[in-house]
Amino acid sequence: MSVSQTVRHDWTRDQILALFNLPFNDLLFQAQTIHRQFFNPNEVQVSTLCSIKTGACPEDCAYCPQSARYDTGLEREKLMAVEKVIEEARAAKASGATRFCMGAAWRSPKDKDLPYVTSMVQGVKGLGLETCMTLGMLSADQAQTLADAGLDYYNHNLDTSPEFYGEIITTRTYQDRLETLANVRAAGMKVCCGGIVGMGEEVNDRAGLLQQLANMPEHPESVPINMLVRVEGTPLADEQELDAFEFIRTIAVARILMPKSHVRLSAGREEMNEQTQALAFFAGANSIFYGAKLLTTPNPEADKDRQLFTKLGIQPEAYEVEHSDEAEAHALLDRVQAAQQDKVFYNAAG
Ligand code: SAM
Ligand code: DTB
Ligand code: SF4
């Protein structure tokens, strides 16, 4: 197979499995070659997560510490006040994040919640940050309300292959997820959609997840690949750890299948050494969650990530340029200038 290829939406499972089965060096070479056709290989996008509503979720996702069905010792919290969310976003921006992702442990938002979350979107955008939310399933109307408020990205994961899905979640179907994703697209928002590996699935399931993502009419702009964070009290707490090379292969295949998407080295970095993370960047990962906490579990300290970027000569990616409206253009300039002044991150070029 040529390493130079156009963006495709017709991948067969066998073709994807053939990529997974390549010798490791051949796979990584192919992924890195494709990565360089579309991205600066030394830039990584940085997003910060914030849990705006924590715990007591009615769903039964077997990996999730926030499900009310499992005793994980997590304190349930009410929806965070809008001002508090904006304060957190301001801190995230000051430490170098360009996107702020707000997550809620909901099956889907209630219509009475929407005015609060739309105010959060407006407030966070007002700081000049990109906005992302993950609030569970959305109706077409709810998606439109969020899009009208200016929400840039909506995160809703397929999590795994259609075949393995039933082993992990029984309270919502794969089809429910696809419908939410279609509603998000139809409302004009960018899609952030990926999954989790290390849940006891087979390579065929990892291929199946990527096949679903790659064969969507439009690829998700952002593809988070999460390594399962095994949380005490969840049904997957004692799951066997996935071999790091299998994780890297998953990133590489995602990069080859979705050459223009940002592939996020997502949950699980706290348990990964720097070498594994460096290999993930080489395989084509070009986004991370940045800041000491994911939603409820630890993530590497910001300082540690800055040191890793320095060691690897990686720069944080600036805000995406395609936002052409004037206010956003000003916000972009502000951020670039602020970044230059603050030198929050090491400047590998300087
Ligand atoms: N409740 C909403 C939903 O499920 O759509 C949004 C929040 S939910 C926590 C967002 C995503 O986090 C899940 O789809 C899953 O992919 C990921 N996630 C949750 N727990 C995880 C864990 N223990 N390890 C890795 N990823 C996890
Ligand atoms: C995604 O794919 N991963 C993030 C984000 N989207 C919302 C969440 C990871 C959660 C890890 C477990 C926790 O911290 O609760
Ligand atoms: Fe609830 Fe989302 Fe966790 Fe599933 S992943 S239990 S829907 S918070």
Side-chain angles (χ1 to χ4, degrees):
M1 192 184 304
S2 158
V3 288
S4 172
Q5 60 195 21
T6 51
V7 177
R8 288 175 49 191
H9 301 266
D10 60 352
W11 289 91
T12 66
R13 186 74 65 99
D14 283 348
Q15 288 171 333
I16 299 174
L17 281 169
L19 290 171
F20 269 100
N21 290 328
L22 281 172
F24 190 73
N25 284 342
D26 289 346
L27 175 61
L28 260 66
F29 178 73
Q30 196 172 139
Q32 174 68 196
T33 305
I34 287 173
H35 189 48
R36 282 169 183 264
Q37 288 170 17
F38 295 96
F39 291 103
N40 176 338
N42 303 311
E43 276 186 6
V44 169
Q45 191 279 330
V46 284
S47 298
T48 291
L49 274 170
C50 173
S51 182
I52 59 169
K53 155 58 180 83
T54 304
C57 181
E59 303 293 276
D60 70 351
C61 312
Y63 47 76
C64 188
Q66 304 204 66
S67 168
R69 295 163 195 247
Y70 318 129
D71 184 7
T72 61
L74 194 70
E75 293 276 325
R76 72 179 288 173
E77 287 169 25
K78 287 195 299 201
L79 183 60
M80 233 164 128
V82 177
E83 297 70 32
K84 178 89 173 73
V85 174
I86 295 168
E87 216 175 279
E88 299 263 331
R90 194 173 283 122
K93 186 183 176 188
S95 81
T98 56
R99 189 178 308 161
F100 194 65
C101 305
M102 296 160 268
W106 285 329
R107 174 176 165 80
S108 55
K110 306 253 181 317
D111 286 343
K112 71 174 169 48
D113 299 318
L114 283 181
Y116 296 98
V117 295
T118 52
S119 302
M120 291 173 193
V121 172
Q122 285 155 355
V124 173
K125 255 183 114 73
L127 299 175
L129 283 161
E130 288 186 311
T131 51
C132 177
M133 280 189 162
T134 180
L135 313 173
M137 293 186 285
L138 291 186
S139 67
D141 284 350
Q142 290 176 325
Q144 199 56 60
T145 303
L146 291 171
D148 292 345
L151 184 62
D152 298 301
Y153 288 81
Y154 195 78
N155 166 246
H156 197 65
N157 290 337
L158 289 176
D159 281 347
T160 188
S161 67
E163 300 92 309
F164 190 65
Y165 182 85
E167 305 285 315
I168 302 296
I169 300 139
T170 69
T171 50
R172 71 172 70 157
T173 64
Y174 215 77
Q175 189 55 35
D176 288 332
R177 292 188 184 251
L178 293 170
E179 279 166 23
T180 290
L181 292 165
N183 291 338
V184 169
R185 266 283 174 241
M189 287 182 284
K190 293 187 196 173
V191 171
C192 172
C193 182
I196 310 178
V197 299
M199 300 194 292
E201 78 285 343
E202 317 241 296
V203 62
N204 187 40
D205 298 304
R206 294 189 281 280
L209 165 69
L210 297 183
Q211 183 183 21
Q212 288 287 324
L213 298 169
N215 290 347
M216 285 177 175
E218 266 184 89
H219 291 168
E221 281 78 4
S222 178
V223 179
I225 305 294
N226 297 278
M227 178 78 115
L228 174 70
V229 180
R230 292 167 295 173
V231 179
E232 209 52 58
T234 63
L236 296 182
D238 298 322
E239 194 54 59
Q240 206 190 326
E241 196 179 337
L242 183 73
D243 182 73
F245 293 121
E246 281 307 305
F247 178 75
I248 300 297
R249 282 179 184 276
T250 310
I251 299 258
V253 176
R255 166 51 62 227
I256 294 168
L257 265 43
M258 293 168 280
K260 293 185 172 175
S261 305
H262 277 77
V263 175
R264 182 170 307 117
L265 166 56
S266 197
R269 289 197 304 117
E270 179 71 352
E271 291 75 26
M272 257 172 233
N273 63 27
E274 290 189 330
Q275 292 75 9
T276 301
Q277 295 182 61
L279 265 185
F281 295 134
F282 188 76
N286 60 348
S287 172
I288 58 165
F289 286 124
Y290 170 70
K293 206 170 177 193
L294 291 164
L295 289 172
T296 67
T297 64
N299 197 41
E301 292 287 340
D303 201 39
K304 210 168 155 205
D305 279 340
R306 286 197 286 261
Q307 285 171 27
L308 178 60
F309 276 21
T310 301
K311 286 190 206 176
L312 301 178
I314 286 176
Q315 299 273 12
E317 184 191 271
Y319 198 68
E320 285 178 7
V321 272
E322 62 190 69
H323 294 250
S324 55
D325 108 23
E326 201 178 329
E328 287 185 338
H330 277 115
L332 168 63
L333 277 177
D334 286 348
R335 257 192 312 282
V336 170
Q337 280 162 2
Q340 280 166 352
Q341 279 160 18
D342 295 355
K343 293 260 190 305
V344 170
F345 282 95
Y346 159 84
N347 181 359

